[in-house]
Amino acid sequence: KGLFIKSAEVFDSGNNSITLLIEPECELYGRNHNALDWYTENIRKALSRACLITTKLRVVFPEYIPVCVRMTVNAAPATADVRDDIISFVKVYFAQRSAGTVDYAELLKAVSTLKCVDSVSSLKMTIYPNEGVSHTSITATSGSRLYLKSADIN
């Protein structure tokens, strides 16, 4: 009850110990710690019945990597304000690749193919808070997930 899980990875930590990386269906960043403690405890209770008595179970959550995107877009002729449409698209794009890699060229190509976009003049991807360093690709390593912190579309 209440254990909606988007994904899970199991790591053998040795010495009869298992680490379970859980990504809940809901977003965790910005959540209060009481809710996370409750969620973790419910997972432990649900799995403890299937574990051997000597098995130590450690439940962890991904490290979320905040990514900021800035782009200048030339709207297609006869289109209204496209900013909200592009931001929605970029959010979905990041959500689909949260456990993988977001590549500059692929994101540029994907946004350029939208019907409301004529062309993309500039694109910059940075990891918050170090927004001065631009990246050509950002990869979520094992145990981490990417998420779109902000999108500045002009």
Side-chain angles (χ1 to χ4, degrees):
K1 189 174 185 181
L3 295 177
F4 295 100
I5 297 173
K6 184 176 183 178
S7 67
E9 294 177 46
V10 178
F11 302 96
D12 181 359
S13 303
N15 298 330
N16 293 330
S17 184
I18 295 174
T19 300
L20 182 62
L21 175 72
I22 297 286
E23 184 176 10
E25 192 62 41
C26 62
E27 297 172 343
L28 282 181
Y29 40 90
R31 298 273 178 178
N32 71 41
H33 288 286
N34 289 337
L36 295 180
D37 291 344
W38 173 85
Y39 190 81
T40 304
E41 188 56 32
N42 280 339
I43 290 171
R44 273 198 200 101
K45 284 180 184 176
L47 294 176
S48 65
R49 292 174 280 214
C51 289
L52 296 173
I53 294 173
T54 58
T55 302
K56 297 173 194 154
L57 178 63
R58 184 172 158 240
V59 178
V60 297
F61 298 103
E63 173 191 356
Y64 288 95
I65 302 169
V67 179
C68 302
V69 172
R70 291 184 181 179
M71 77 176 69
T72 303
V73 174
N74 300 313
T79 54
D81 182 28
V82 298
R83 185 179 182 282
D84 290 340
D85 292 340
I86 294 171
I87 289 173
S88 295
F89 175 81
V90 172
K91 282 182 181 178
V92 169
Y93 186 88
F94 267 79
Q96 292 172 343
R97 290 157 183 79
S98 70
T101 299
V102 175
D103 183 74
Y104 176 94
E106 289 177 11
L107 178 59
L108 183 69
K109 181 180 177 183
V111 171
S112 297
T113 60
L114 296 173
K115 290 181 181 179
C116 61
V117 174
D118 189 37
S119 63
V120 179
S121 304
S122 67
L123 170 62
K124 183 178 180 182
M125 292 190 315
T126 59
I127 297 174
Y128 180 85
N130 193 3
E131 296 184 60
V133 179
S134 186
H135 297 273
T136 56
S137 69
I138 300 172
T139 302
T141 57
S142 179
S144 66
R145 300 290 184 264
L146 304 174
Y147 80 95
L148 183 66
K149 177 165 180 58
S150 66
D152 185 16
I153 312 295
N154 295 314

